[in-house]
Amino acid sequence: MATVVSSPNIAPKPSLGLPGRRYDHLFFCAMSFVILATVFAGFARTYYLAGVFHAPLPSLIIHLHGAAFSCWILLFITQTSLVSAGRVDIHRQLGIGGFFLGCLMVVLGIMAATDSLVRSAGPAGRDPQAFYIVPLTDMLLFGTTLFFAFRNRRDSAAHKRFIYIATNALLIAAIARVPIAFSYRKVFIATLLSELFLLALVVYDLWSTHKIHRATLWAGGFLVFVQQIRLPIGKTAAWHAFAAWVQRLH
């Protein structure tokens, strides 16, 4: 948390009546429950309401992947709730475990994506080799923003925004499975819908301080950039050659 040092010779800047950061805990706590509802709605039929560990998933790695990512969402809610309740001490203790859980999720995410590629699984009408870039870049986005969240753990405002955007990077799979009639461009539309969560953060930043926080700007820009360029890259011959090489290894 930044500390303001006042000087007796310099008059403090007058307050502009902005809300500032005092509503951060309410915003992030509320959005964590919106994220939980989104994830549950997306995976209810195939996972949560299908018995979780008894759900008819294709392999053990997919079960482990689902369990780890579910734990992350629950941890995200727990952490934002602890901050809202003023229990920052417990929040910090859980944060170390959360960082290691996040690292495990990156490994499991890559393994689950590769497992799906080998089984030629993926959205209906999608080339499995081209689609392979989506979960891999999700892990790139999540892992990168998680690293910066850990690095900025003493800067509360930046830390919580990096964590929020890291979690945002995981939502496309859930949104694409929500039982709504998407068009054949399901991944593209799910990507745009997931970016509404980022837009909510931008709007909150502008409302609270009249400027976009640097973490929101840089991490959000990175998120949008990668999500928009990956589908064209996935259609290239070079990417198909890479995906075919991964398939041959397994």
Side-chain angles (χ1 to χ4, degrees):
M1 180 179 295
T3 302
V4 178
V5 180
S6 60
S7 169
N9 299 320
I10 301 176
K13 293 182 179 180
S15 172
L16 299 178
L18 298 178
R21 302 294 180 203
R22 65 178 179 271
Y23 293 111
D24 275 14
H25 62 289
L26 292 177
F27 171 80
F28 289 103
C29 188
M31 290 305 297
S32 70
F33 282 95
V34 176
I35 288 173
L36 173 65
T38 302
V39 171
F40 183 81
F43 289 102
R45 294 179 302 167
T46 59
Y47 187 60
Y48 297 117
L49 298 184
V52 183
F53 293 109
H54 296 290
L57 301 183
S59 67
L60 175 62
I61 191 61
I62 303 299
H63 274 284
L64 295 175
H65 166 76
F69 280 62
S70 298
C71 287
W72 176 266
I73 299 300
L74 294 176
L75 178 63
F76 182 56
I77 289 179
T78 300
Q79 290 290 68
T80 56
S81 299
L82 284 170
V83 172
S84 293
R87 296 309 308 267
V88 179
D89 54 335
I90 302 177
H91 172 91
R92 289 173 177 166
Q93 293 172 3
L94 288 177
I96 300 299
F99 176 73
F100 286 108
L101 172 62
C103 293
L104 176 63
M105 288 165 59
V106 173
V107 175
L108 290 174
I110 294 172
M111 293 176 65
T114 303
D115 178 78
S116 296
L117 173 66
V118 172
R119 291 185 288 102
S120 296
R126 277 278 178 182
D127 177 1
Q129 291 184 348
F131 181 74
Y132 186 50
I133 197 171
V134 174
L136 287 193
T137 49
D138 282 347
M139 292 302 96
L140 170 66
L141 290 165
F142 176 78
T144 303
T145 46
L146 176 67
F147 167 77
F148 281 101
F150 183 76
R151 183 178 178 182
N152 288 272
R153 62 192 181 277
R154 299 190 184 281
D155 181 346
S156 176
H159 171 78
K160 62 185 64 175
R161 282 163 175 78
F162 280 122
I163 287 291
Y164 177 87
I165 294 172
T167 306
N168 190 174
L170 305 175
L171 295 182
I172 292 177
I175 293 172
R177 289 172 171 80
V178 172
I180 298 175
F182 289 118
S183 70
Y184 72 98
R185 304 185 71 187
K186 179 180 289 188
V187 175
F188 177 73
I189 294 174
T191 298
L192 293 181
L193 291 176
S194 75
E195 290 172 357
L196 292 177
F197 288 86
L198 177 60
L199 179 61
L201 179 58
V202 170
V203 170
Y204 171 74
D205 277 353
L206 292 174
W207 172 78
S208 60
T209 64
H210 284 189
K211 64 180 180 180
I212 302 175
H213 192 279
R214 60 180 177 81
T216 304
L217 182 63
W218 292 108
F222 178 57
L223 176 80
V224 172
F225 175 74
V226 172
Q227 287 181 340
Q228 296 306 314
I229 68 167
R230 63 186 178 184
L231 292 181
I233 292 175
K235 297 176 181 178
T236 63
W239 181 262
H240 275 76
F242 168 72
W245 173 75
V246 172
Q247 287 179 311
R248 288 194 298 270
L249 289 179
H250 296 78

